[in-house]
Amino acid sequence: MKNFILKNKITILLCSIILILTVSLFATSFGMENFETVDSSLGIVNTDYLNMRSGTGINFKSIDLLKKNEYVKIFGKIGDWYIIQNERNKIGTAHQKYITPTSEEKAATTNSEAVEETSNMNLTQEETEIFSLINKERNKNNLPNFEIDENLQNVARLKAKDLVENSYFSHISPTLGTPFEMLKNNGISYKTASENIAGNSSVSGAVESWLNSEDHKKNILSNDYNYTGIGVVDSIAYGKIIVELFIGK
């Protein structure tokens, strides 16, 4: 071993120098010597669209696109750039002027208030989850939250139950008719209306499938609707049958 070191002394020395220079160059290029801690560990995007970059500057490539009102974790700051992690678990940077620091306590309070609000509407846990996911998606797209219409809620549950009991999967019910006939027959007035239905093993999976479908997503992100009703019924065939009705008043 000793002979090997003596024979390769110059090579080892050169490799060590190259390694030190490489580490120094990496730290300098990313500005790690200027790293600062921050008071807040949570932030919210305050602009419509924001590139999350791989380094501290606009010359670094974008690794994800953040949208207004999206929450991010803040790990620290280098110059004017926050080091952040988004909800999709990607880590990168964003300029500080486009991220408004907030507190985890405030976010938790907001979430608990939302849960309390929906529980006061007599929604089940699964209906509440869908309602929260749908409004979260609308917030990401700078749209106002849907409100629950109690009568619409009852009709959505009625349609979900009808889908399971009569073993069909269609917007046209053999017993209730079209969604528009169904709303009219239950005394619900509206200017615009539509319906999303899904069969899925979970309600989160149902929402994800809607968001991956152009027509279903269009209903969720439409400005033509401001009220919704949600029904979830257990199904042997699918696991869950989910109905969401949308109306504009």
Side-chain angles (χ1 to χ4, degrees), residues 163-177:
L163 283 163
V164 172
E165 291 182 349
N166 290 293
S167 302
Y168 72 98
F169 192 82
S170 171
H171 291 291
I172 301 176
S173 164
T175 57
L176 303 173

Side-chain angles (χ1 to χ4, degrees), residues 54-69:
S54 60
T56 55
I58 59 174
N59 292 328
F60 287 91
K61 70 176 183 178
S62 175
I63 58 176
D64 206 351
L65 184 65
L66 307 177
K67 296 180 181 179
K68 192 168 186 177
N69 296 326

